[in-house]
Amino acid sequence: MNPIPIIVDCDPGIDDTIALLAAFVSPELNILGITPVCGNQPLERTVRNALQVCELGGRTDIPVYAGCFRPMLREPIHGQFHGSTGLGHTTLPEPKKTVETMSAVDFLLEAFGAAAEKGERITLCCLGPLTNVAVALRMKPQLVDGIERIVMMGGAYREPGNRTMTSEFNVLADPHAAHVVFSSGVPIVALALDATHQVMLRPEHVAEFFRVSGRISETLAALMAFWDRNDVRRYGSRGGPLHDPLVIAYLLAPDLFQTEKAHIFVEYESELCMGQTIADWYGKSGQAPNADIVTKVDADGVIALFLERLGRYAEKAAA
Ligand code: RIB
Ligand code: CA
């Protein structure tokens, strides 16, 4: 089967990093580029982190393009669970690789435009705020012809928010961008907190990942240990929710996921509910569904998938 062409838009970020490391060793995926955005960290740090993760994962062949340095309208907000650098307490080597001179938005326009001209489509994996994607969509609406689908981590439907009472971080960080993307007509697979909170990366899992992941084991285990919220009341167990990695898991093993179609709306006016994502499960709005919302996940299957994938670093030589 031909590899799936993908672009990873992200804000590394500990869970972004775990997602990237798994994608790097998955030949089913042809990663055309990585487009960091302002999110968990300011843009300069998410770019730097992405460059360092490419070197850690032995994938300096993948170009990194700097995205938007702030949301479309709102003041930037940053992540609370990734440490001061966005990569926990780890210290990765200085990146030898440099960021591309082309901007992320120009890269998205070029990549999706070229795909559309060839009658091909690229899958867009969104692991952070949707600013880059929204700006590109506003530049060239026919961009949608080159997008197979957007598989995104973001939103919260039947789950409460993780940054405010109602809202999940990626959508809250740029609700206007999320509204543009959900209104674009591009097919969307939405992995929200409803899905990611079903897959907790617990301390006992971290020990397993340390055991299997060879040359990246120290860094990986340190990142995963930092991710432990230690909040049993909120999450029902120790550990941290595997948010962004589920996007990659969905592409690699869709049978581990169940979805329901619904039209998704984004609140971008109310300060109380800013960034809330609302699913019209029963067609009350009269608007056709614009997304497949993941409602059920085989958590054990996802953990096993990632152990197998990250176990590939045991035999994978450094770049
Ligand atoms: O709410 C979780 C999301 O916000 C994840 O993508 C995490 O990396 C942060 O960006
Ligand atoms: Ca992220």
Side-chain angles (χ1 to χ4, degrees), residues 10-13 15-16 40 82 127-129 153 169-170 244:
C10 55
D11 61 338
D15 56 331
D16 306 69
N40 280 321
H82 303 259
L127 314 184
M153 191 279 135
F169 176 81
N170 285 341
D244 295 337

Side-chain angles (χ1 to χ4, degrees), residues 25 201 204-218 220-221 224 303-316:
V25 290
L201 182 71
E204 57 268 30
H205 296 140
V206 177
E208 287 185 80
F209 278 103
F210 177 76
R211 186 171 50 78
V212 303
S213 55
R215 67 176 186 80
I216 67 165
S217 59
E218 296 282 346
L220 183 66
M224 289 181 162
I303 294 290
L305 172 69
F306 272 80
L307 281 169
E308 188 279 321
R309 292 296 157 131
L310 294 168
R312 295 183 181 189
Y313 285 96
E315 61 267 9
K316 184 176 187 311

